[in-house]
Amino acid sequence: MLLLRTLLQMPELRLSLHTGEDQLDRTVTRVYGTELPDPSRYLSGGELVLSGLLWHHGPQDSERFVRSLATARVAGLAASETENRELPFDLVDACLRHHVPLLEVPVDLSFATITERVSMELVGLSRHRRLLNVVAEGSGLPALLLAGSHELGEPCWVLSTAGRVVAGGELPERLTLVKEFLQADRLPKTVRGVTLVPVSERGGNRLTSWILVVGGSVQQEAAAELASLVGLERLREAQGRQIENRTAAPLVSAVLNGSADLESRLAAAGLERAQLRVISAVTSDQRTDLAAAVLEEALPQALVTPVGDTVCAIAKAGDSMPDDLREAMRVMEPGLGSTRVLVGISSPVASRGLRGAAEEAAHARRLGERRGGRTCVVAGEEIALHQLLLAGVPEELRTSLRRRLLGPVLDYDAEHGSDLVGTLKVFLDCSGSWTAAAARLHVHVNTLRYRVGRVEELLGADLAEFEARVDLFLALQAG
């Protein structure tokens, strides 16, 4: 609502108060200008009456005019006296006696300016009231966004920072817009012909925000007003997710511990008889809150919970989940700062395979530590069995095994500047094929035979034996 007090606080109007200091909480409903001696028939209450006092010829005129305003219960009178340069004393007295707030308008300020400013304020309040009604009716975000588009005169969308369209139609440049939003120094921001407004940042982290996209350069106040109401819907969604995630911690605990009540917990979460994936995530700075926020934005249907220094999630399986998660995390990278996020995803499993899936996701995540990039997503189905097995071996043990099996060759290379280790790796990668390995190394087959023979001599191994090849292959992979 627009109060008289608010008008007095508008520096561009420069209004001054003569009477009614205790009545400044009156609500202004519209502006009405008049020079009639008795305008009561045109008043319905709540008006800010503007008058140049052309009707004033003496005290009796002030009494009649002010009494009609009081009877109509106007919000107040804003008057200007251009001829005498000051308001008549009898007008001030009449307003005081009839409890009509009297505001003086500077002689150089036009009534049109006041009317325009107050009307703009009232339009904004009406818009807010209409949008608030949509929220109060519980019609949901799509209805609110549709109403907001109508009020702003521009199409609107709501995006997540993972690039997902939360509400609105297709938006071809959505991923680019999210990156612009995450990289912006100041918001709101107009870019590519649209306005980007943050919606309900949690904990000051822009990654946890939604983004209101308005299809044009609009009044920032109006866009921010819609964003604040979208924020209420965002809060509802966050509260719903919080309630859902309360089941995540005991469910994940049941998975990791092999509890007998796993099936009942899955049923309570609506995940019974479904193919599932387990997701394991960490950040380089051990921020479980950030890892959880990334998974919640990228996988809105997953149950997410911290487990020590990691974050674990369980979600219904989808063949495209690894690729979708990679794309979402690439979009979110500008908001991560210097933090690196590593995610492992298990292969799809039924409920009885969840414990193994949790191990697979953790191993896949650890394999991501050896890969580059600000974000890394490794899926279980894209990893060879030996890689998963090695991922579960501590780094110190891998180094020890590599040294025990390959030590003499490593020392020989270091002393003579050769690359027998590289030769061995190519030979094993080519499944022991002399012709294929020689071609890849660009050497004669006899040269290759000499080098492999030297490796066998140093290691005391026979590379014709399958077990020897397996051991050495794993030792090479452990490095």
Coordinates of all heavy atoms in Angstrom, one line a residue, residues 404-443:
R404 N 57.6 -52.8 -7.0 CA 58.1 -54.2 -6.8 C 58.1 -55.0 -8.1 O 59.0 -55.8 -8.3 CB 57.1 -54.9 -5.8 CG 57.5 -56.4 -5.6 CD 56.8 -56.9 -4.3 NE 55.3 -56.9 -4.4 CZ 54.6 -57.9 -5.1 NH1 55.3 -58.9 -5.6 NH2 53.3 -57.8 -5.1
L405 N 57.1 -54.7 -9.0 CA 57.1 -55.5 -10.2 C 57.9 -54.9 -11.3 O 58.4 -55.6 -12.2 CB 55.6 -55.5 -10.7 CG 54.7 -56.4 -9.8 CD1 53.2 -56.3 -10.2 CD2 55.1 -57.9 -9.9
L406 N 58.1 -53.5 -11.3 CA 58.7 -52.9 -12.5 C 60.0 -52.2 -12.1 O 60.7 -51.6 -12.9 CB 57.8 -51.8 -13.1 CG 56.5 -52.3 -13.7 CD1 55.7 -51.1 -14.1 CD2 56.8 -53.2 -14.9
G407 N 60.4 -52.3 -10.8 CA 61.6 -51.6 -10.3 C 62.8 -51.7 -11.1 O 63.5 -50.7 -11.5
P408 N 63.3 -52.9 -11.5 CA 64.5 -53.0 -12.3 C 64.5 -52.3 -13.6 O 65.4 -51.7 -14.1 CB 64.7 -54.5 -12.5 CG 64.0 -55.1 -11.3 CD 62.8 -54.2 -11.1
V409 N 63.3 -52.4 -14.3 CA 63.1 -51.7 -15.6 C 63.1 -50.2 -15.4 O 63.7 -49.4 -16.2 CB 61.8 -52.1 -16.3 CG1 61.7 -51.4 -17.6 CG2 61.9 -53.6 -16.5
L410 N 62.4 -49.7 -14.3 CA 62.4 -48.3 -14.0 C 63.8 -47.7 -13.8 O 64.2 -46.7 -14.3 CB 61.5 -48.0 -12.8 CG 60.0 -48.3 -13.0 CD1 59.3 -48.2 -11.6 CD2 59.4 -47.3 -13.9
D411 N 64.6 -48.5 -13.0 CA 66.0 -48.1 -12.7 C 66.8 -48.1 -14.0 O 67.7 -47.2 -14.2 CB 66.6 -49.1 -11.7 CG 66.0 -48.9 -10.3 OD1 65.3 -47.9 -10.1 OD2 66.1 -49.9 -9.5
Y412 N 66.7 -49.1 -14.8 CA 67.4 -49.2 -16.1 C 67.1 -48.0 -17.0 O 68.1 -47.4 -17.5 CB 67.1 -50.5 -16.8 CG 67.9 -50.7 -18.1 CD1 69.1 -51.4 -18.0 CD2 67.5 -50.2 -19.3 CE1 69.9 -51.6 -19.2 CE2 68.2 -50.4 -20.5 CZ 69.4 -51.1 -20.4 OH 70.2 -51.3 -21.6
D413 N 65.9 -47.6 -17.1 CA 65.5 -46.5 -17.9 C 66.1 -45.2 -17.4 O 66.6 -44.3 -18.1 CB 64.0 -46.3 -18.0 CG 63.3 -47.3 -19.0 OD1 64.0 -47.9 -19.8 OD2 62.1 -47.5 -18.9
A414 N 66.1 -45.1 -16.0 CA 66.6 -43.8 -15.4 C 68.1 -43.7 -15.6 O 68.7 -42.7 -15.8 CB 66.3 -43.8 -13.9
E415 N 68.8 -44.9 -15.6 CA 70.3 -44.9 -15.8 C 70.7 -44.7 -17.2 O 71.7 -44.0 -17.5 CB 70.8 -46.2 -15.2 CG 72.3 -46.3 -15.3 CD 72.9 -47.6 -14.7 OE1 72.1 -48.3 -14.1 OE2 74.1 -47.8 -14.9
H416 N 70.0 -45.3 -18.2 CA 70.4 -45.3 -19.6 C 69.6 -44.4 -20.4 O 69.9 -44.2 -21.6 CB 70.4 -46.7 -20.1 CG 71.3 -47.7 -19.5 ND1 70.9 -48.4 -18.3 CD2 72.6 -48.1 -19.8 CE1 71.9 -49.2 -18.0 NE2 73.0 -49.0 -18.8
G417 N 68.6 -43.7 -19.9 CA 67.8 -42.7 -20.7 C 67.0 -43.4 -21.7 O 66.7 -42.9 -22.8
S418 N 66.7 -44.7 -21.5 CA 65.8 -45.5 -22.4 C 64.4 -45.4 -22.0 O 64.0 -44.8 -21.0 CB 66.3 -46.9 -22.5 OG 66.3 -47.5 -21.2
D419 N 63.5 -46.1 -22.7 CA 62.1 -46.2 -22.4 C 61.6 -47.6 -22.6 O 60.7 -47.9 -23.4 CB 61.3 -45.2 -23.3 CG 59.9 -45.1 -22.9 OD1 59.6 -45.4 -21.7 OD2 59.0 -44.6 -23.7
L420 N 62.2 -48.5 -21.8 CA 61.7 -49.9 -21.9 C 60.3 -50.0 -21.3 O 59.5 -50.9 -21.7 CB 62.7 -50.8 -21.1 CG 64.1 -51.0 -21.7 CD1 64.9 -51.9 -20.9 CD2 63.9 -51.6 -23.2
V421 N 60.0 -49.1 -20.3 CA 58.6 -49.2 -19.7 C 57.6 -48.8 -20.8 O 56.5 -49.5 -20.9 CB 58.5 -48.2 -18.5 CG1 57.1 -48.0 -18.1 CG2 59.3 -48.7 -17.4
G422 N 57.9 -47.8 -21.6 CA 57.0 -47.4 -22.7 C 56.8 -48.5 -23.7 O 55.7 -48.8 -24.2
T423 N 58.0 -49.2 -24.0 CA 57.9 -50.4 -25.0 C 57.0 -51.5 -24.4 O 56.2 -52.0 -25.1 CB 59.3 -50.9 -25.2 OG1 60.1 -49.9 -25.8 CG2 59.3 -52.1 -26.1
L424 N 57.2 -51.8 -23.1 CA 56.4 -52.8 -22.5 C 54.9 -52.5 -22.5 O 54.1 -53.3 -22.8 CB 56.8 -53.0 -21.0 CG 56.0 -54.0 -20.2 CD1 56.1 -55.4 -20.8 CD2 56.5 -54.0 -18.7
K425 N 54.6 -51.2 -22.3 CA 53.2 -50.8 -22.3 C 52.5 -50.9 -23.6 O 51.4 -51.5 -23.8 CB 53.0 -49.3 -21.8 CG 51.6 -48.8 -21.7 CD 51.5 -47.4 -21.1 CE 50.1 -47.0 -20.8 NZ 49.2 -47.2 -21.9
V426 N 53.3 -50.5 -24.7 CA 52.7 -50.6 -26.0 C 52.6 -52.1 -26.4 O 51.6 -52.5 -27.0 CB 53.6 -49.9 -27.1 CG1 53.2 -50.3 -28.5 CG2 53.6 -48.4 -26.8
F427 N 53.5 -52.9 -26.0 CA 53.5 -54.4 -26.3 C 52.3 -55.0 -25.7 O 51.5 -55.8 -26.3 CB 54.8 -55.0 -25.8 CG 54.8 -56.5 -26.1 CD1 55.0 -57.0 -27.4 CD2 54.8 -57.4 -25.1 CE1 55.0 -58.4 -27.6 CE2 54.8 -58.8 -25.3 CZ 54.9 -59.3 -26.6
L428 N 52.0 -54.7 -24.4 CA 50.8 -55.3 -23.7 C 49.5 -54.7 -24.3 O 48.5 -55.4 -24.4 CB 50.9 -55.0 -22.2 CG 52.1 -55.8 -21.5 CD1 52.1 -55.4 -20.1 CD2 52.0 -57.3 -21.7
D429 N 49.5 -53.4 -24.6 CA 48.3 -52.8 -25.2 C 47.9 -53.4 -26.5 O 46.7 -53.4 -26.9 CB 48.5 -51.2 -25.4 CG 48.5 -50.5 -24.1 OD1 48.0 -51.0 -23.1 OD2 48.9 -49.3 -24.1
C430 N 48.9 -53.9 -27.2 CA 48.7 -54.6 -28.5 C 48.5 -56.1 -28.3 O 48.6 -56.8 -29.3 CB 49.9 -54.3 -29.5 SG 50.0 -52.6 -30.0
S431 N 48.2 -56.5 -27.1 CA 47.9 -57.9 -26.8 C 49.1 -58.8 -27.2 O 48.8 -60.0 -27.6 CB 46.6 -58.3 -27.5 OG 45.5 -57.5 -27.1
G432 N 50.3 -58.3 -27.1 CA 51.4 -59.2 -27.4 C 51.7 -59.4 -28.9 O 52.5 -60.3 -29.2
S433 N 51.1 -58.6 -29.7 CA 51.3 -58.7 -31.2 C 52.6 -58.0 -31.5 O 52.7 -56.8 -31.4 CB 50.1 -58.1 -31.9 OG 50.4 -58.1 -33.3
W434 N 53.6 -58.8 -32.0 CA 54.9 -58.2 -32.4 C 54.7 -57.2 -33.6 O 55.3 -56.1 -33.5 CB 55.9 -59.3 -32.8 CG 56.2 -60.2 -31.7 CD1 55.7 -61.5 -31.5 CD2 57.0 -60.0 -30.6 NE1 56.2 -62.1 -30.4 CE2 57.0 -61.2 -29.8 CE3 57.8 -58.9 -30.2 CZ2 57.8 -61.3 -28.6 CZ3 58.6 -59.0 -29.0 CH2 58.5 -60.2 -28.2
T435 N 53.9 -57.6 -34.5 CA 53.7 -56.7 -35.7 C 53.0 -55.4 -35.4 O 53.5 -54.3 -35.8 CB 52.9 -57.5 -36.8 OG1 53.5 -58.7 -37.1 CG2 52.8 -56.6 -38.1
A436 N 51.9 -55.5 -34.6 CA 51.2 -54.3 -34.3 C 52.0 -53.4 -33.4 O 52.0 -52.1 -33.5 CB 49.9 -54.7 -33.6
A437 N 52.7 -53.9 -32.4 CA 53.5 -53.1 -31.4 C 54.6 -52.5 -32.2 O 54.9 -51.3 -31.9 CB 54.0 -54.0 -30.3
A438 N 55.3 -53.2 -33.1 CA 56.4 -52.6 -33.8 C 56.0 -51.5 -34.7 O 56.6 -50.4 -34.8 CB 57.1 -53.7 -34.6
A439 N 54.8 -51.7 -35.3 CA 54.3 -50.6 -36.2 C 53.9 -49.4 -35.3 O 54.2 -48.2 -35.8 CB 53.0 -51.1 -36.9
R440 N 53.4 -49.5 -34.2 CA 53.0 -48.4 -33.3 C 54.3 -47.7 -32.8 O 54.3 -46.4 -32.7 CB 52.2 -48.8 -32.1 CG 51.6 -47.6 -31.3 CD 50.8 -48.1 -30.2 NE 49.6 -48.8 -30.6 CZ 48.6 -49.2 -29.7 NH1 48.8 -49.0 -28.4 NH2 47.6 -49.8 -30.1
L441 N 55.3 -48.4 -32.5 CA 56.6 -47.8 -32.1 C 57.5 -47.3 -33.2 O 58.5 -46.7 -32.9 CB 57.3 -48.8 -31.2 CG 56.7 -49.2 -29.9 CD1 57.4 -50.4 -29.3 CD2 56.8 -48.0 -28.9
H442 N 57.1 -47.7 -34.4 CA 57.9 -47.3 -35.6 C 59.3 -47.9 -35.5 O 60.3 -47.2 -35.8 CB 58.0 -45.8 -35.7 CG 56.6 -45.1 -35.8 ND1 55.8 -45.2 -36.9 CD2 56.0 -44.4 -34.9 CE1 54.7 -44.5 -36.6 NE2 54.8 -44.0 -35.4
V443 N 59.4 -49.2 -35.2 CA 60.7 -49.9 -35.1 C 60.6 -51.2 -35.9 O 59.4 -51.7 -36.1 CB 61.2 -50.1 -33.7 CG1 61.4 -48.8 -32.9 CG2 60.2 -51.0 -32.9

